[in-house]
Amino acid sequence: MMRFLLLFSRQGKLRLQKWFTPISEREKKKIIRDMTTMVLARQPRSCNFLHWKDLKIIYKRYASLFFCLAIENQENELIALEVIHRYVELLDKYFGNVCELDIIFNFEKAYFILDEFLMGGEIQETSKQMVNRSIEASDMLQEDDSSEWFEVELFG
Amino acid sequence: MINFDSVRRREPVRASFTNLWDIDDSSYFLASLRLRMPAPIRLRELIRTIRTARTQAEEREMIQKECAAIRSSFREEDNTYRCRNVAKLLYMHMLGYPAHFGQLECLKLIASQKFTDKRIGYLGAMLLLDERQDVHLLMTNCIKNDLNHSTQYVQGLALCTLGCMGSSEMCRDLAGEVEKLLKTSNSYLRKKAALCAVHVIRKVPELMEMFLPATKNLLSEKNHGVLHTSVVLLTEMCERSPDMLAHFRKLVPQLVRILKNLIMSGYSPEHDVSGISDPFLQVRILRLLRILGKSDDDSSEAMNDILAQVATNTETSKNVGNAILYETVLTIMDIKSESGLRVLAINILGRFLLNNDKNIRYVALTSLLKTVQTDHNAVQRHRSTIVDCLKDLDVSIKRRAMELSFALVNGNNIRGMMKELLYFLDSCDPEFKADCASGVFLAAEKYAPSKRWHIDTIMRVLTTAGSYVRDDSVPNLIQLITNSVEMHAYTVQRLYKALLDDISQQPLVQVASWCIGEYGDLLVSGQCEEEEPIQVTEDEVLDVLEGLLVSNLSTPVTRGYSLTAIMKLSTRFSSVNRIKKVVSIYGSSIDVELQQRAVEYNALFKKYDHMRPALLERMPIMEKSASNGPTEIVQTNGETEPSVVEPKHLPPVTQPVNQANDLLDLLGGNDVVPVIQNTMPTKPASAGGELLDLLGDLSLSGGPAPAPASSVPTSQPSFLMDGLSSQPLFNDIAAAAIPPMTAYNKNGLKIDFTFERANPNPNIAVITIHASNSTEADMTDFVFQAAVPKTFQLQLLSPSSNVVPALNQGTVTQVIRVLNPQKQQLRMRIKLTYTLKGSPVQDLAEVNNFPPQSWQ
């Protein structure tokens, strides 16, 4: 199974964190620190796999974002690369030419998409269209933000 | 008349619009005049604001301000803004700020009827409310309700949350709901329920049985999402239970058929990735087939064809095709496949090695490393490609290639391989040098075609990576050199020349000085047969050795070696006076070790001059008591060489010192090296125990007959030699006398103690612990610690491993030695730490049930 997925920028700022096992806050912070240090230190044309403790770390850079996925030792690294790529494709389809700013300002949507693609450390849906359709349908269910009303000036 | 004072003052500025509609006329005015604070800022607004902060301090200030506003908003129990506030809180949480005060708010959001609220609420729960939090369980009821909601997307949210982070209690409570949903015809829910079931099983393995009926028709689904998650569920069940595995073996034909359809079917836009249909599903099916086919001939046979088909038909131009091939290779190697298929698999790996893509090369090397033991010949065919990978620029690939190269070295290819590996050693990064040097020594020892080649190889390593070799390889090398009698002249000559070039690499210098001390006479007499003998005078040799003594580059250990070497030359060279002078100078050295040696050597010149020639005679060939590589040296303590000295001096001297040394060993925790290390093994004990500390260091056998480690007991006071192997050596001897006992048995971990009495000291009890694990998962990072009351002394040797295999498939053993001079009742406190299924476990226990024979 996958253990965690982290997205961070080239400066090491975290943009998304998904943990598939219960870990203390302190431990999470430490892992994030370790991952960002390790991955950002890699040479540009190195292979995308690292070893860390008893896990394999698969990382890939897309524009200004690093996607870092940790899998257990018996998992297939090459398909993990495909998992990362698939997630990027899903984000791209949803946001239209996705860039880091989209994920910063719409992080909750990035999570929603992830939760339709992966669950409990495993792949949930292998069809891009199905994931997209679920997200679109869920978005439609979202009530209009009724607090809109509160913004309207009563006088003048 | 409206009393304005009674109007609850909130905040200034805007009036609410909506409020005008949902209240009755009488409070119309009140409402319209109600003063309110501006609405909490929107999420995007907050993000934008925070990003404008130029310093960390500025950001912190903004966040604190916003958190305060959010907190007061929470206090007001404002339903409208709760969602927005929690979203903002989650953003701030991602930046690293505490957000625990939002936990209850998430619960309230989850309980809300609005989908937006639930969405954010469940997201917040997954980020803030993992099972370590106290309020985690409060979610259970909400999730239960939502699992039965009329909208499938709400049900989906609940399933997702439960399946990602539900605690064991929650899983127990809700397993029934999940099982129900697993049988629904709604594929959207069914696939989520399947993964949720996987999580439940991981958390509460006992519940696995209840999902069995629902798995009946899972594989007949057409929907790929359901198919994929079903395969995951089946895999999980088969991995955890041999019964389930046997039960599901009958699915092999169905799985084969599904896989075949995937490969043969035409283009399916919904699942296509670079021309391959649903690679994720293919990989999962291959993995399940691997588990089902392992150690089962029939299943393996049923999948032979499809595996061959996948292996030959899969497109390899993109990563996705190679991912499938990789999984196929792993499956072929693990099941009972026919040899043709295995060769096909290894050839695929060989082709991977030539791929331009680094990732593929890396994966190939890793897989070949796994298969090199079982399919050695097939992997050998790719040796040259593997060796080429040593020159790769990527660090991970280099390391794998190095490990694999060492695994491939055998008697036939040793010369060629060693050439490549030595070249690698020259040019590799420092992080590799130590491992590479050790590997070279090990390989050379096993397969050296000739003694000269062996010594040349060692010389090469010492000169190129001399500072990186492990310290314990020095005695090993020395022993090797003494064994090659005909090479002595050649060896000392080469070492001398190396010293002239460079005295910075300590292991090289130490070996060289030892050899010069022993064979200096051969050096000056120019007797070398193997190569052109060099002309060197006694004075030149002494210059070099004295240079070592004064050089800043030499460590104290090295100085000790060179001083002793100089001393030895007093019987081989004629310039005795010069040597006497050197030795007497160091009699007042600040270094206590050097001083002691010099004083004793001085004594040799004066009072014991008649003994000097005999004492400094050439060393005999040393037998190695354990033929392990350079990484494991068996050391004896106070052991003597066979010949040389008046034997009557030996017994009275060795006994008491060794008793003292026994105690010394016990005082040092896990370190089994004797206290008197780093000394020269030149002088056997003669008169005075003060010379005894010069012994040790080399692996010496006791007595003229070689004594292999296992036959140690009785006459040898070589206390340490027994303890160093992790097998208890005295097992057969005294085991029957003291019955074994179970010291600990909890949560599937059982620790048994077996006893021996250590000869010759009856005060020492040797206990071997045997740890076994009856749970279904391995216990990793297993550490055993023990403490005893003050009147005892305890020594813990290295464990056999730190993984206790599941289902009693093996034990971890570790030796404890307890010194009990006062013969008190033995008691012990033990601490056990290990990791089981990802969670760390720790336990303390007292062991009081030692049999009386163990301490009486």
Side-chain angles (χ1 to χ4, degrees), chain B residues 291-310:
Chain B
I291 295 170
L292 293 174
K294 198 170 181 156
S295 20
D296 187 83
D297 291 319
D298 292 329
S299 306
S300 301
E301 182 157 348
M303 42 180 103
N304 256 324
D305 285 344
I306 190 66
L307 289 174
Q309 209 176 352
V310 176

Side-chain angles (χ1 to χ4, degrees), chain A residues 1 3 13-25 28-29 42 45-51 54 56 73-79 81-83 86 94 100-101 103-109 111-112 115-131 133-135 137-139 141-155, chain B residues 14-18 20 36 39 42-44 47-48 51 59 80-81 84 87 90-91 93-96 113-117 119-120 123 126-127 130-132 151 153 159-160 163-164 188 191-192 195-196 198 202-203 223-225 228-229 232 239 269-273 278-281 283-284 287 290 319-320 322-323 326-327 352 358-360 362-363 394 396-397 400:
Chain A
M1 64 179 269
R3 289 287 186 91
K13 290 208 90 126
L14 191 66
R15 299 299 178 207
L16 189 140
Q17 52 176 327
K18 187 75 189 176
W19 305 91
F20 296 112
T21 50
I23 298 179
S24 70
E25 280 296 328
K28 280 183 196 169
K29 288 207 162 87
R42 291 283 277 187
R45 271 185 306 277
S46 336
C47 88
N48 297 82
F49 310 137
L50 284 170
H51 269 272
D54 62 334
K56 295 194 226 196
N73 252 329
Q74 73 272 22
E75 301 284 334
N76 182 330
E77 298 99 312
L78 298 179
I79 209 77
L81 269 177
E82 293 299 319
V83 168
R86 173 57 65 90
Y94 183 80
E100 190 183 345
L101 277 178
I103 300 185
I104 293 171
F105 280 93
N106 301 286
F107 69 93
E108 82 276 15
K109 300 271 176 20
Y111 275 108
F112 296 151
D115 287 336
E116 285 296 326
F117 174 44
L118 305 176
M119 186 167 120
E122 306 284 352
I123 301 172
Q124 192 192 135
E125 177 58 65
T126 57
S127 154
K128 272 187 277 193
Q129 288 88 328
M130 288 300 301
V131 175
R133 266 180 247 155
S134 313
I135 291 291
S138 304
D139 281 350
L141 277 184
Q142 286 213 186
E143 298 84 355
D144 290 329
D145 193 351
S146 58
S147 52
E148 291 264 339
W149 294 106
F150 286 86
E151 304 298 304
V152 178
E153 288 269 22
L154 185 57
F155 306 109
Chain B
R14 298 178 197 170
S16 72
F17 181 82
T18 313
L20 291 174
R36 316 187 92 216
R42 319 194 72 171
L43 171 64
R44 315 272 179 265
I47 298 177
R48 211 171 293 130
R51 280 170 66 79
E59 180 184 278
T80 337
Y81 294 129
R84 181 192 290 189
L90 293 178
Y91 177 72
H93 175 249
M94 180 140 67
L95 293 178
Q113 289 312 308
K114 301 202 313 203
F115 184 71
T116 318
D117 282 356
R119 237 183 166 187
I120 296 288
L123 178 61
M126 284 198 268
L127 288 172
D130 70 14
E131 63 185 46
R132 292 156 170 267
T151 313
Y153 296 107
L159 278 169
C160 190
C164 269
Y188 177 77
K191 75 182 185 216
K192 288 183 191 270
L195 283 187
C196 205
V198 171
R202 282 182 182 150
K203 282 294 194 192
N223 179 296
H224 279 221
H228 185 276
T229 56
V232 175
E239 276 176 341
E270 203 173 337
H271 300 110
D272 181 87
V273 179
D278 208 338
F280 302 110
L281 181 57
V283 164
R284 263 347 275 236
R287 189 148 140 207
R290 178 154 85 242
N319 179 60
V320 64
N322 288 318
Y326 177 38
E327 195 75 34
F352 274 6
K358 281 197 190 341
N359 297 328
I360 311 257
Y362 177 85
V363 146
D394 186 288
S396 319
I397 290 182
R400 286 281 174 275

